Amino acid sequence: MAKKSNFAGAGPSQRMLRVGELIRRSMAEILARGDVHDPDLNRMSITVSEVRVTPDLKIATAYVLPLGGDQKEDALAALARNKGELRRLITKKIALKHSPDLRFILDDTFDRMDETKRLFSSEAVQRDLAPGLDDEA
């Protein structure tokens, strides 16, 4: 009988994390070496920041960003066009029973970090962080 979990949002299991990291490393290496036979994709330098897999390991979502943040849509289109070949190359590199279907999403982590820095450096936040008269009361 299957073990039931009482936690709705327990997070990824160790196996999911390990498989995601294996796929991320393999995909980054394949893209860096230019193993995919697509000149458009080989011209771009793409960063694979994270790969998340579903609990059944059937779908792998890769968070990617082209170097410099330029040509985001072109990079996604090129990756989607070549996902079959990428899947085949990843399967050759790592030993999985079933190769997961690949999906690609733009990684917006850097944009969120820039926005957070901008907010922290704003005058209103700096005023709130500065030692003031409220500390004496």
Side-chain angles (χ1 to χ4, degrees):
M1 190 159 143
K3 182 177 173 183
K4 280 192 167 184
S5 174
N6 292 332
F7 302 103
S13 68
Q14 286 297 314
R15 183 170 186 229
M16 290 167 57
L17 293 172
R18 187 176 66 243
V19 170
E21 182 60 19
L22 281 171
I23 293 171
R24 186 196 69 78
R25 285 183 187 172
S26 299
M27 188 180 305
E29 185 180 323
I30 289 166
L31 292 173
R33 288 189 354 203
D35 290 345
V36 179
H37 298 12
D38 184 352
D40 295 334
L41 188 59
N42 290 334
R43 271 188 233 118
M44 296 181 215
S45 180
I46 298 176
T47 302
V48 183
S49 58
E50 182 182 5
V51 174
R52 294 182 186 168
V53 294
T54 55
D56 60 1
L57 305 178
K58 290 190 181 204
I59 299 172
T61 304
Y63 291 85
V64 297
L65 187 69
L67 189 63
D70 298 334
Q71 303 174 335
K72 293 177 183 179
E73 297 305 321
D74 294 339
L76 279 181
L79 287 167
R81 249 191 344 262
N82 294 291
K83 80 177 190 176
E85 188 173 357
L86 275 168
R87 183 179 181 182
R88 182 183 59 79
L89 291 169
I90 290 170
T91 303
K92 278 176 60 175
K93 280 190 157 306
I94 58 178
L96 288 177
K97 193 173 195 177
H98 301 286
S99 177
D101 184 35
L102 298 175
R103 298 188 181 166
F104 303 98
I105 296 179
L106 285 175
D107 186 13
D108 64 347
T109 304
F110 298 110
D111 295 336
R112 286 187 282 147
M113 285 189 329
D114 289 342
E115 178 63 17
T116 303
K117 285 179 187 175
R118 187 191 66 74
L119 287 172
F120 277 133
S121 65
S122 72
E123 187 178 316
V125 172
Q126 291 300 317
R127 187 175 6 125
D128 289 343
L129 293 176
L133 299 175
D134 295 338
D135 294 338
E136 295 174 9

